[in-house]
Amino acid sequence: MKAVAIAHPNIALSKYWGKKPGEWNVPAVPSLSITLAGLATTTTVAFDAALTTDTLTINGAAIAALRATELLDHVRSAAGLTTRASIVSTNDFPTASGLASSASGFAALAVAATRAAGLDWPAERVADLARRSSASAARSLFGGFVELDGDIVRPVAPAGAIDLRVLVCVTTEAAKAVSSRIGMNTTAAKSPYYAGWLETAPRIHAELKAALLAGDLPRVGELAEQSAFAMHASAFAAGIVYVSGATLDAYATVRALRADGIGAWATMDAGPHLKCLVHAKDAAAAKARLEASPGVLRIIEATPGEGARVSASTGEDARPGASSTGASGVQGRSPCVDR
Ligand code: DP6
């Protein structure tokens, strides 16, 4: 009745922003992400008959379980359980600040909760459970490059498909003011450019996927940057602003790197941290320049990583469904209240 899971955040190269009306947290546009090694959420779920309510701590602080309880209710219903659970989660990176802590968090929670409840579900089913809590979390179930199209999540290329590094330029340790859920719902309701986003995003996604499968990093980088700016432009027009001065200074540095012949591209999510995509061979040079950018506190260098899994420290294997599906060929945000 207890399990520990580890999951990594993912960064969308082509972004999800907005939901299909009338469906349960199904993205309005397809997205493609890279699951990151180098940042991790570790979550322990223990069903405990002595508890009268689910309890949740993130990095040692008690938090109302809310969305975690919704996920646990699905698990309890599938497993025929009524027992409440304690959830203990830790992030080794800033929580709820646009570093995808809800993706790794709900992915880790879905893996740990299903395993603790004795459900041996294939990764796709665990991903669908995580997607209902936070759509981007579905992508963290898998490693490498992962697509989310409607409610279908699938790995599209292994971690080694492109020798990529992601330089996460941390510009604040604080949680953001507007969650991605509120940000995207406000964009859909108020932005005059949301319709343009819905029209543009699938084309960028298809072109990016093709470029990735062709191993064309410069094209992947260009399209990732287009996707990020199209998403943020639609949000801006609804008064939803995630970037800060530090983000824009870091972006100027990325452009300066390009002007100097170094392939570097930017992407940003629902927070002020700029993520710079570079070929592995250029990572050291790009990192040195970005470290000097005003407002960049530190840089986390991430590589493509593996999907969510039961922690080896429990002595068990491993990925969800490993015993029933051979892990489906899979290789590779905390249950926080927002992303
Ligand atoms: C900008 O998955 O956090 O990171 O489904 O409402 O929890 P909910 O939203 P969430 O949104 C992610 C938005 C994004 C882009 C992306 O990851 O595709």
Side-chain angles (χ1 to χ4, degrees), residues 10-19 25 27 31-33 67 98 100 102-103 106 131-137 139 148 176 179-182 184-185 231-232 242 268-271 275 333 338-339:
N10 66 76
I11 300 291
L13 301 175
S14 64
K15 308 283 184 197
Y16 141 58
W17 194 248
K19 299 173 197 298
N25 212 31
S31 59
L32 195 154
S33 63
R67 282 168 71 180
S102 73
F106 282 111
R131 195 261 312 149
R132 289 160 186 267
S133 295
S134 187
S136 56
R139 300 184 309 233
L148 177 62
K176 61 178 173 280
S179 72
S180 53
R181 183 157 299 188
I182 290 174
M184 68 177 78
N185 289 344
M231 178 206 119
H232 283 274
Y242 289 111
M268 296 85 64
D269 294 286
K275 291 105 183 185
R333 290 179 213 192
D338 60 24
R339 176 171 169 126

Side-chain angles (χ1 to χ4, degrees), residues 89-129:
S89 190
T90 54
N91 289 328
D92 63 5
F93 58 95
T95 297
S97 66
L99 278 179
S101 61
S102 73
S104 55
F106 282 111
L109 178 62
V111 171
T114 47
R115 183 59 65 100
L119 299 170
D120 191 17
W121 286 358
E124 289 75 9
R125 192 165 176 196
V126 182
D128 193 63
L129 173 71

